[in-house]
Amino acid sequence: MVNKQVFLNGHLLNEPYVVHKDGGNNSYRDNFPTQPVDLLVPPALDMLSRDVKKGELIVPPGSYFAMGDNRDDSSDSRYWGFVPRENIIGKPLIIYWSYDAGTEDLEEGVPTMSYLFDMATHFFTKTRWNRELRLVRAYPVS
């Protein structure tokens, strides 16, 4: 990644789905792989020490590097390392519910009381109705 843009095998990816909500710059997050400024879990540290060659991350066979479309606020492979192939058990098919709330109210994937209160009071206004029951689209990577 260079200035929040992803390069794959030396080519800039066209990613019309990416959302950038943070106008700031985080040297590790936005120019990956670089020296981490955040605390990382051991698999991510191993990935950085073992799989970065000449400033580029080389994804080993049988592994995946996972990134989301909300990259400025995403705990992804930059922070926890590769996803082993055996951990992938299916393909996403449909978006059954999409809610406009930040992940800051989720503690390790568990909703806090403020998150639950927000859902109870804003369910109809924060549900992204235009995404309900839509098929998950794949974008070609070239």
Side-chain angles (χ1 to χ4, degrees), residues 29-138:
R29 177 193 71 196
D30 301 336
N31 295 291
F32 181 85
T34 57
Q35 185 65 32
V37 294
D38 304 306
L39 294 176
L40 301 178
V41 296
L45 293 170
D46 291 344
M47 172 186 69
L48 291 173
S49 67
R50 185 182 54 235
D51 299 300
V52 176
K53 310 288 186 225
K54 297 181 183 175
E56 293 187 7
L57 181 68
I58 308 300
V59 180
S63 298
Y64 290 85
F65 186 85
M67 291 181 71
D69 58 350
N70 183 9
R71 307 235 175 97
D72 298 342
D73 188 26
S74 181
S75 177
D76 55 29
S77 284
R78 292 171 290 182
Y79 298 95
W80 40 260
F82 296 120
V83 178
R85 172 61 187 101
E86 60 267 14
N87 289 9
I88 300 173
I89 59 172
K91 278 181 151 179
L93 176 64
I94 195 166
I95 300 169
Y96 62 91
W97 185 51
S98 181
Y99 188 71
D100 190 16
T103 56
E104 61 274 359
D105 285 331
L106 296 174
E107 293 176 2
E108 298 183 25
V110 178
T112 62
M113 289 304 292
S114 62
Y115 186 83
L116 294 172
F117 179 77
D118 182 72
M119 283 189 350
T121 57
H122 297 101
F123 176 84
F124 291 105
T125 57
K126 286 190 173 182
T127 293
R128 298 176 189 154
W129 298 104
N130 61 330
R131 293 174 45 105
E132 295 297 305
L133 303 176
R134 300 282 180 160
L135 294 176
V136 174
R137 299 176 307 216

